[in-house]
Amino acid sequence: MPDHIAALTLFLTTQPAQTPLAWIAVVAYGLTIGSFLNVVIYRLGEQMKGKADGLGLCHPKRSFCPKCKNQLAWSENIPVLSYIIQGGACKSCRAPIPARYPLVEIAGLTAVAVPWAFAPTVTEAIVACIFLTAMIAATGIDLETKKIPDKVSLTALAAALGLAFLPGGIGTEAVIGAAGCFLLMLGFVELGKRLFGKKKISLKEKTEIRWENGTLRIQEPGKSLEESELMEGRDLPFTRQSDRIVLQGEFTVGDEKTPRTVVVLAADTSERVEGHLKSITFPREAMGMGDAKLLALCGAVLGFQGAVQGLAWGAGTAVGMVIAARLVAKMTNSNPPELIAFGPWIAGGCTAVMLWGWL
């Protein structure tokens, strides 16, 4: 982390909480943390999508515009203020800057200022700051990729468990909460897989398809097979060794002369398959292991009972949102969302439980 963040951290741990100078430092620190969280969300999100090209969190390259790749000057990197001065656009290419950037910076400020003002002990304030910043990063990345990286959840989990045994921490309750929440969510993951682990898509017309060297190409409407998008292995829903894609239609497999009507593809299937598709069944997950690790972090901070309450609040709100979205889609004759990111709802519910406990 940059040296100026370390200096602000030292200042905040040695100053009385209610002095004006301390609050100025809190604001500067929080906005700086928010700016760093934008880097985390963008770079880890690109890694999750396989598009990072070696650009990690420790990469020496400064922040840059994702559109024109121009490195940002210090005046373009002032949290919130630069966004307002530049009219929400890149100074070099005038490409719009997503509103997510100032919102995350403000969220970073909140993640520092609220624990600083309301947490009962210094240990709880530090743990809460780590927890809230991890929730912000996990939410941003999950909304973008539908995945939560271990670098966020497990790093914060290790820090929370270590700090739990300092004066003012929750001690063994953190270990019990983390383990219990992980096992609970693991059960939900397995149950979801059994109930909703497959999705079958039937096609009105025969559609050309080709599987070769771990890649899948399906003919898109109005395009030839060669013009259609090629799906790499990492883009296909093989999340478990047992996952399979089932093709129904008429296919030739390798050098076989007899056509097949059903072909089952595993991630390591090496034979070339091509033909015409009538239906395809994809494996899918109702929840991912990223959600289980995120709830384990919540358990380490809030204890088992608090994290389960947060999960209940988050799940209930998510279900209500999905029902509302499906009703709106039905009224407008549009397609309802197929997949939602559940991490933000866990984060929101558990954050609400933490804040409610303080207030």
Side-chain angles (χ1 to χ4, degrees):
M1 193 171 284
D3 291 341
H4 58 278
I5 297 182
L8 282 169
T9 303
L10 179 62
F11 177 86
L12 289 176
T13 56
T14 57
Q15 295 297 312
Q18 300 304 321
T19 65
L21 191 59
W23 274 108
I24 291 172
V26 165
V27 172
Y29 184 81
L31 290 174
T32 305
I33 289 291
S35 182
F36 180 70
L37 286 174
N38 273 320
V39 175
V40 172
I41 291 169
Y42 175 76
R43 296 192 180 186
L44 289 188
E46 292 296 289
Q47 286 182 16
M48 301 297 283
K49 292 185 285 187
K51 299 178 181 179
D53 295 327
L55 187 64
L57 293 181
C58 298
H59 196 281
K61 186 174 182 180
R62 297 200 316 267
S63 297
F64 58 90
C65 171
K67 183 73 174 178
C68 67
K69 307 301 180 184
N70 186 59
Q71 286 194 353
L72 304 184
W74 70 268
S75 59
E76 300 172 79
N77 247 334
I78 304 172
V80 181
L81 190 59
S82 291
Y83 181 87
I84 296 172
I85 292 173
Q86 294 169 203
C90 172
K91 195 173 181 180
S92 300
C93 67
R94 302 310 299 169
I97 300 172
R100 182 199 85 197
Y101 284 86
L103 291 177
V104 168
E105 288 163 352
I106 293 170
L109 168 59
T110 305
V112 173
V114 171
W116 182 254
F118 295 105
T121 67
V122 173
T123 299
E124 286 187 67
I126 295 171
V127 170
C129 185
I130 294 171
F131 171 75
L132 292 174
T133 52
M135 293 298 111
I136 294 167
T139 294
I141 296 169
D142 201 11
L143 288 173
E144 182 72 21
T145 67
K146 303 297 186 292
K147 297 176 183 177
I148 301 172
D150 291 347
K151 289 180 181 178
V152 171
S153 54
L154 296 186
T155 302
L157 174 61
L161 289 175
L163 291 167
F165 292 92
L166 294 179
I170 63 174
T172 55
E173 189 179 348
V175 178
I176 296 170
C181 286
F182 180 78
L183 292 174
L184 175 66
M185 186 59 80
L186 189 61
F188 285 137
V189 169
E190 293 302 319
L191 179 62
K193 183 69 173 178
R194 290 180 179 276
L195 296 177
F196 310 106
K198 296 179 182 178
K199 180 179 180 179
K200 184 174 182 179
I201 302 173
S202 298
L203 305 172
K204 294 181 181 178
E205 300 178 359
K206 286 186 178 180
T207 303
E208 285 190 75
I209 188 173
R210 181 187 301 142
W211 168 273
E212 187 175 22
N213 298 324
T215 62
L216 183 66
R217 196 190 295 268
I218 301 175
Q219 183 182 6
E220 299 174 30
K223 296 183 180 179
S224 68
L225 182 62
E226 297 301 330
E227 293 170 335
S228 300
E229 181 182 1
L230 180 69
M231 290 176 277
E232 300 286 348
R234 65 171 177 264
D235 299 324
L236 296 170
F238 292 114
T239 56
R240 305 180 183 213
Q241 267 193 322
S242 59
D243 281 340
R244 300 291 184 267
I245 294 176
V246 181
L247 312 176
Q248 290 183 303
E250 188 172 341
F251 314 99
T252 58
V253 180
D255 297 327
E256 293 180 7
K257 305 220 178 193
T258 305
R260 294 194 199 176
T261 56
V262 176
V263 174
V264 178
L265 301 175
D268 59 353
T269 300
S270 57
E271 295 94 347
R272 176 186 172 104
V273 178
E274 54 187 340
H276 291 88
L277 187 68
K278 287 184 180 178
S279 71
I280 183 169
T281 302
F282 287 108
R284 64 179 179 179
E285 300 283 340
M287 293 183 195
M289 290 303 297
D291 296 324
K293 295 167 189 173
L294 190 69
L295 192 67
L297 168 59
C298 297
V301 175
L302 303 175
F304 182 76
Q305 184 176 352
V308 170
Q309 288 176 351
L311 175 64
W313 279 107
T317 309
V319 168
M321 188 277 293
V322 170
I323 293 173
R326 290 188 176 275
L327 289 174
V328 170
K330 188 173 183 180
M331 290 187 291
T332 57
N333 292 321
S334 57
N335 294 323
E338 288 288 334
L339 182 67
I340 67 166
F342 190 50
W345 301 100
I346 295 176
C350 290
T351 297
V353 168
M354 170 181 279
L355 299 180
W356 182 260
W358 288 347
L359 299 176

